[in-house]
Amino acid sequence: LRSHGLTVNLVHKAGLTIDVSGTAGEVRDAFHTEIHQYEVRGELHIANATDPKIPAALAPVVVGVNSLNDFKPKSMMVNPRPNLTIKCAGCPDGLDNEVIYIETPPDFATIYNVSPLYKEKTPITGTGETIVVLEESDILAADVATFRKAFGLSSFSGTFTQIHPGSGCTDPGRNGAEGEAALDAEWAGAVAPDADVELASCTDTATNFGNLIAAQNLVDSKTPPPILSLSFGGCESALGPSGNAFFKDLWQQADAEGVSVFVSAGDGGPAGCDDFDLIPTWAIGGIAASGYASTPYNVATGGTDFLATIINAGTYWSTTNSATHESAKSYIPEMTWNDSCASSVLFELEGSSSGLAFCNSTTGEDFLDIIAGSGAPSMIYSKPSWQAGTLGNPNDGKRDLPDVSLFTSNGFYFQAIALCMSDASQGGSPCNYANGTDVLHNSAGGTSFSAPQFASIQALINQKTGERQGNPDPVYYDLYRTEFGTSSAPDTTNLAACNATQGNAISSACVFHDVTVGNNDVPCAGPNSCYDPSPATDYGVLSTSDSSLHVAYPAQKGWDFASGLGSVNVTNLVTKWP
């Protein structure tokens, strides 16, 4: 490498990665690929023009070259969008009253049944456990303290620190990724309030991104943390062979060391390669999964929405808050999270016959976006043994995402999630939860939330078992098969009793809540997995067939691409963990 003029910055301790840098000319000479500048949707980027070639002397030991571009990992946080009028003449409460229900940590504890664990003879609260959130920015530590005090968590012993771990890691300071970092740090300690939370952040370098530098250094350390959470993503095809290999090796190493890794599945429905931030927009890249989350060595966390405001908000939400801002009354029925015109919940409320028809209507064009809980088959990995045979999971030979889900809506149906980010220099607002405007500004959605929430649940599991778990997916799927049976022998009794539409009548014995309403389909254009039968229509919808409509993807009984195994009853999950 040095003979081609490249600078060797670091050989990582695990012996799996060498960090090098150099000019575009030196990279061209070493790896026979040119670095060009590209304009992508109005943004300038640099990237390699062709796949790099590995010199013959290195070919036996080098998988590939990673990070020859500046396409940053994407945060999976989604801010509330201005709600458009949703017609719902048959809804008891209607959807135009603009009452906003914000899920707080006490609400989460009620909805997902965490509270009984806190009341055990030896409380299961995450004592002795550490959760690390992997970030691109520091935060105001006071925001975590404010969040915990407001929601009744400050009496617990969990601590919060910010670290910049290992070689090549410098403090990035506070920057535009602060909102993501704040919600991750706050929610990582919200379900397991006695667990210690560390925010690990590094400055981006010429050869890697800050949160990935932090992840690699932590996994390489003599005492890797037991739990990691990452709320960023990027699709498999954009990562390329080397980028995908980087994540496979990193999360495989973590799993071998007993580290449980939780990664957001994404916020673009099945359209993992498209930018959900652009509104209005539609998918052009087809069906794709996030390469950050698709390895067999991590948990891919998806998202749901609540049916409360469609069924009857008053049944599930109180009109007043407790002293710790709790207003949820019970488990709330869940559906898939989907803000787009292709959502079966939305187009049925609007009286349309299909997503295809609604997206091409005058009203439907107001909902042209690709914001939905992500799920898709991997193009890289074959189906892990622990996923095969799961009720509902297709016999496609692929690693399928997501694994599990929790509520992640960004307020589309007037329900979102609380956070605290008060740094005015980065667009933050005061965290005054008695002020409706401040509450709205400090609320959001996205599978950014489900990753640290499941990491926090894992801290409860680790405390209960007294040991690290590594990748918990095999146990999730075993418990699921115990509850619902297999594809060849489904347990219809439990499927009915644990159907998420049961709401407050759901069985108290459920470990998983089976989400069966809605889809995560989104509008699309072009030839990639997009069904658009008529030249007269402007938009199609994502489909597993181009010639006929096979919606990608509907909710169903059992596992599905919209929510995976569904959401969880936390107490039952922890107490039944083997």
Side-chain angles (χ1 to χ4, degrees):
L1 291 169
R2 291 190 178 109
S3 73
H4 285 274
L6 297 171
T7 299
V8 177
N9 303 312
L10 176 68
V11 178
H12 285 274
K13 292 181 181 179
L16 296 175
T17 308
I18 303 172
D19 186 304
V20 301
S21 58
T23 66
E26 290 162 349
V27 169
R28 180 194 61 219
D29 292 343
F31 300 110
H32 300 281
T33 184
E34 294 187 353
I35 305 298
H36 288 188
Q37 188 175 70
Y38 299 92
E39 182 176 332
V40 182
R41 295 193 176 188
E43 294 181 347
L44 289 178
H45 290 277
I46 59 168
N48 47 305
T50 58
D51 288 337
K53 294 181 173 60
I54 306 302
L58 300 179
V61 293
V62 173
V63 173
V65 184
N66 191 32
S67 301
L68 290 178
N69 62 72
D70 67 346
F71 289 93
K72 289 178 64 66
K74 184 164 186 57
S75 161
M76 295 303 160
M77 174 184 176
V78 183
N79 290 317
R81 62 173 288 179
N83 277 286
L84 301 167
T85 301
I86 301 171
K87 299 175 186 176
C88 189
C91 297
D93 293 339
L95 289 176
D96 55 359
N97 55 14
E98 298 190 17
V99 174
I100 306 297
Y101 302 96
I102 305 296
E103 182 190 63
T104 66
D107 292 322
F108 185 100
T110 294
I111 296 164
Y112 293 116
N113 195 34
V114 188
S115 301
L117 295 173
Y118 302 160
K119 300 173 184 176
E120 299 237 347
K121 185 176 180 180
T122 300
I124 300 178
T125 54
T127 299
E129 300 301 323
T130 300
I131 304 162
V132 176
V133 294
L134 302 166
E135 306 299 338
E136 297 272 292
S137 172
D138 295 344
I139 66 172
L140 290 172
D143 283 350
V144 176
T146 298
F147 182 88
R148 290 178 68 88
K149 182 178 180 180
F151 302 126
L153 304 175
S154 56
S155 61
F156 293 92
S157 63
T159 63
F160 171 68
T161 55
Q162 301 187 72
I163 62 173
H164 314 292
S167 301
C169 178
T170 59
D171 185 349
R174 300 195 303 276
N175 56 52
E178 187 177 356
E180 175 64 68
L183 79 85
D184 289 344
E186 289 153 6
W187 277 96
V191 186
D194 277 326
D196 296 327
V197 175
E198 295 179 352
L199 186 158
S201 62
C202 303
T203 303
D204 290 348
T205 68
T207 55
N208 212 343
F209 300 112
N211 49 14
L212 305 184
I213 295 170
Q216 184 143 46
N217 288 346
L218 288 166
V219 171
D220 282 349
S221 69
K222 292 181 179 179
T223 56
I227 305 167
L228 294 176
S229 174
L230 179 66
S231 292
F232 291 78
C235 74
E236 289 176 328
S237 60
L239 287 173
S242 300
N244 287 294
F246 172 84
F247 281 102
K248 179 186 74 69
D249 290 346
L250 183 61
W251 299 150
Q252 184 179 30
Q253 180 185 343
D255 182 20
E257 295 170 350
V259 181
S260 300
V261 180
F262 298 86
V263 186
S264 302
D267 299 341
C273 287
D274 288 281
D275 191 345
F276 58 81
D277 276 346
L278 300 177
I279 298 176
T281 193
W282 46 89
I284 58 174
I287 296 171
S290 169
Y292 289 55
S294 63
T295 86
Y297 305 105
N298 64 274
V299 177
T301 67
T304 68
D305 204 340
F306 290 143
L307 273 163
T309 55
I310 295 174
I311 298 173
N312 191 333
T315 301
Y316 295 101
W317 293 105
S318 172
T319 55
T320 59
N321 290 321
S322 72
T324 55
H325 301 276
E326 180 183 2
S327 57
K329 298 179 179 180
S330 68
Y331 173 68
I332 300 175
E334 291 175 276
M335 59 182 175
T336 61
W337 170 44
N338 192 340
D339 293 3
S340 86
C341 56
S343 162
S344 58
V345 173
L346 179 60
F347 72 66
E348 288 173 9
L349 287 175
E350 294 281 355
S352 188
S353 60
S354 69
L356 185 67
F358 186 54
C359 288
N360 287 284
S361 69
T362 302
T363 303
E365 287 187 353
D366 290 336
F367 299 93
L368 281 169
D369 60 46
I370 52 173
I371 297 176
S374 286
S378 170
M379 296 189 302
I380 307 297
Y381 304 105
S382 58
K383 191 174 296 297
S385 59
W386 40 261
Q387 194 173 51
T390 302
L391 176 66
N393 188 257
N395 186 23
D396 57 2
K398 306 291 186 182
R399 161 73 164 118
D400 296 319
L401 277 64
D403 295 307
V404 284
S405 295
L406 293 166
F407 172 73
T408 56
S409 177
N410 60 320
F412 189 77
Y413 292 100
F414 305 98
Q415 298 159 112
I417 310 175
L419 62 111
C420 175
M421 205 289 273
S422 67
D423 187 353
S425 69
Q426 300 300 329
S429 300
C431 302
N432 178 1
Y433 298 103
N435 181 305
T437 300
D438 289 344
V439 170
L440 186 60
H441 289 163
N442 280 288
S443 67
T447 55
S448 278
F449 285 92
S450 59
Q453 288 168 348
F454 269 111
S456 202
I457 293 169
Q458 191 63 40
L460 303 177
I461 294 168
N462 286 14
Q463 181 193 346
K464 182 255 184 184
T465 60
E467 58 187 7
R468 293 167 174 249
Q469 296 295 311
N471 181 14
D473 265 338
V475 178
Y476 284 157
Y477 282 83
D478 278 347
L479 290 172
Y480 193 83
R481 282 186 283 267
T482 298
E483 184 168 358
F484 296 128
T486 62
S487 297
S488 58
D491 187 327
T492 56
T493 299
N494 280 345
L495 282 168
C498 298
N499 191 310
T501 58
Q502 296 280 358
N504 55 18
I506 201 164
S507 170
S508 61
C510 302
V511 175
F512 295 94
H513 309 130
D514 186 22
V515 179
T516 60
V517 173
N519 63 28
N520 66 343
D521 200 19
V522 296
C524 59
N528 297 315
S529 307
C530 185
Y531 178 65
D532 185 3
S534 170
T537 60
D538 293 322
Y539 311 105
V541 294
L542 281 183
S543 169
T544 55
S545 169
D546 294 333
S547 58
S548 59
L549 181 58
H550 294 275
V551 170
Y553 291 96
Q556 62 180 17
K557 290 182 179 179
W559 188 98
D560 55 56
F561 286 107
S563 66
L565 301 174
S567 66
V568 295
N569 178 312
V570 175
T571 290
N572 291 345
L573 177 68
V574 172
T575 56
K576 293 185 180 183
W577 198 269

